[in-house]
């Protein structure tokens, strides 16, 4: 999906958050230089039917002079999982910097 402009971004994120319930996210900073950063991420959520999903991948972000995101590229893999396969539960505890292996 390619979105352009704030209105499309708001619509895209609103729809995403309506379908991705009990969303829990982990990100790891890989690199940064100037106005660009690269992260590795993994999140889990379920849909309205109760199906759990794990999504993982990489994101590249570039920011403009005002600090707003000017460009985002992402490679995301979605994996259907059972609830018993979940590895991410809510927010991290204070000070937790552990990484979750990506399969």
């Amino acid at each position: 999906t390619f979105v352009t402009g704030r209105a499309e971004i708001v619509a895209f994120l609103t729809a995403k958050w309506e379908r991705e319930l009990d969303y829990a996210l982990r990100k790891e900073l890989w690199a940064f230089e100037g106005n660009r950063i690269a992260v590795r991420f993994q999140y889990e959520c379920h849909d309205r039917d109760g199906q759990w999903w794990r999504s993982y991948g990489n994101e590249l972000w570039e920011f403009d002079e005002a600090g707003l995101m000017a460009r985002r590229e992402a490679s995301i893999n979605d994996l259907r999982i059972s609830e018993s396969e979940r590895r991410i539960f809510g927010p991290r505890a204070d000070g937790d910097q552990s990484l979750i292996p990506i399969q």
Side-chain angles (χ1 to χ4, degrees):
T1 301
F2 296 90
V3 296
T4 303
R6 288 184 178 272
E8 286 185 26
I9 292 168
V10 168
F12 173 82
L13 290 175
T14 298
K16 177 178 170 48
W17 294 332
E18 287 175 351
R19 74 177 177 272
E20 294 180 348
L21 307 174
D22 293 320
Y23 180 96
L25 168 70
R26 299 295 183 268
K27 284 197 179 195
E28 173 190 1
L29 177 65
W30 266 4
F32 64 94
E33 182 176 337
N35 65 337
R36 295 177 176 167
I37 65 173
V39 298
R40 169 186 161 218
F41 69 89
Q42 189 169 172
Y43 66 86
E44 294 175 346
C45 61
H46 67 84
D47 58 28
R48 294 202 182 280
D49 295 328
Q51 175 60 58
W52 281 92
W53 297 90
R54 179 176 304 124
S55 299
Y56 57 94
N58 303 298
E59 287 180 289
L60 305 173
W61 299 336
E62 183 175 57
F63 300 91
D64 66 16
E65 292 174 359
L68 298 175
M69 188 180 295
R71 183 175 179 173
R72 173 186 178 259
E73 294 184 22
S75 174
I76 304 170
N77 301 289
D78 297 315
L79 177 66
R80 183 185 301 257
I81 62 171
S82 66
E83 186 172 5
S84 65
E85 293 175 290
R86 290 182 60 204
R87 302 188 294 209
I88 305 172
F89 299 92
R92 286 185 182 194
D94 287 342
D96 178 7
Q97 295 299 311
S98 61
L99 301 179
I100 298 173
I102 291 180
Q103 59 188 69

